[in-house]
Amino acid sequence: RVADRGGVEAITMRRVAQELGVEAMSLYHHVPNKDAILDGVVDMVFAAIKLPGAECDDWRDAIRTRAFSARMVLSQHSWALGLMDSRRNPGPATLRHHDAVLGVLREAGFTLPMAAHAVSLIDSYVSGFVLQEANLPVTTPDDVEEVAGGILRHLPAEELPYLTEMIRDHALRPGYDYTSEFSYGLDLILDALEARRRGPPLGFVRAGGCAT
């Protein structure tokens, strides 16, 4: 509750004690320091994310379910984004979570290096989308119409034809919902990983060029 109201910076021994209605010094009977509290709240966030279960026949369905759950939980606790990967003493829920995700990938036939790549890619996408979504100036279709329409009215269409087209013929179309981009991007990632899982690795793009 403290972090949800004031961000991770608000998590201090004094603030937590105030929330509990006790003296700050009494917290030290339960935790050694503030780091232990941070470890605990991170573990609570991981515990709230749905684990990929064995009930899914397709590994992509299992990972997709977990990704949507992670997005929902992190949207509610966006302060955790910069904290989740920084802890040196992960809690039991955190460890179970990572083990379950790796288990889905390994049981699906991913090599160990490929499983590591997949986890990094998927988690980066989920975290990046949540961060972007949290900072967008729009949250509803009406917001999109107001913000995008305002930009379009002052946009020099001849100088910026592609941006004009994107706003006019895509963002301002009835029913457009930016949140649907999450599913589209996630499916692209999962399909690409499936292609890599099934076949030999594709060539890598050389730095500074377009050749593979």
Side-chain angles (χ1 to χ4, degrees):
R1 290 195 298 266
V2 171
D4 285 343
R5 288 198 302 265
V8 68
E9 300 83 5
I11 301 179
T12 64
M13 301 299 273
R14 183 177 63 82
R15 290 275 185 87
V16 173
Q18 288 177 343
E19 186 74 22
L20 295 172
V22 299
E23 295 294 329
M25 290 303 296
S26 66
L27 294 182
Y28 290 98
H29 293 293
H30 305 279
V31 292
N33 49 41
K34 175 183 170 179
D35 277 339
I37 292 181
L38 295 178
D39 291 340
V41 294
V42 165
D43 210 47
M44 289 180 67
V45 172
F46 271 109
I49 298 173
K50 182 177 175 61
L51 290 176
E55 68 275 5
C56 296
D57 294 330
D58 189 331
W59 71 269
R60 286 173 294 186
D61 291 337
I63 296 298
R64 186 181 291 108
T65 296
R66 179 257 183 181
F68 271 92
S69 177
R71 178 195 167 201
M72 181 185 69
V73 171
L74 291 174
S75 294
Q76 296 168 349
H77 310 292
S78 57
W79 51 266
L81 284 172
L83 193 63
M84 295 176 73
D85 296 324
S86 69
R87 311 317 303 159
R88 295 188 176 187
N89 297 296
T94 303
L95 297 175
R96 281 194 301 270
H97 185 95
H98 291 313
D99 186 76
V101 174
L102 288 170
V104 168
L105 297 172
R106 293 290 281 138
E107 291 297 325
F110 281 81
T111 65
L112 192 56
M114 278 191 64
H117 295 327
V119 169
S120 177
L121 178 60
I122 294 166
D123 284 359
S124 295
Y125 175 71
V126 173
S127 297
F129 193 93
V130 171
L131 184 62
Q132 183 181 48
E133 197 172 26
N135 287 282
L136 284 175
V138 296
T139 55
T140 68
D142 288 341
D143 292 337
V144 172
E145 185 172 352
E146 179 182 348
V147 174
I151 294 173
L152 186 63
R153 283 193 295 272
H154 302 287
L155 205 64
E158 293 184 359
E159 294 179 27
L160 306 172
Y162 302 111
L163 182 57
T164 300
E165 178 187 41
M166 173 62 73
I167 296 175
R168 183 188 61 219
D169 299 333
H170 185 67
L172 289 179
R173 290 188 64 181
Y176 172 74
D177 182 3
Y178 173 77
T179 60
S180 66
E181 300 291 350
F182 180 78
S183 179
Y184 186 86
L186 180 63
D187 284 344
L188 283 180
I189 291 171
L190 297 179
D191 289 346
L193 288 170
E194 173 66 5
R196 289 289 182 96
R197 185 187 71 86
R198 286 178 174 273
L202 300 176
F204 291 99
V205 176
R206 292 199 298 265
C210 299
T212 56

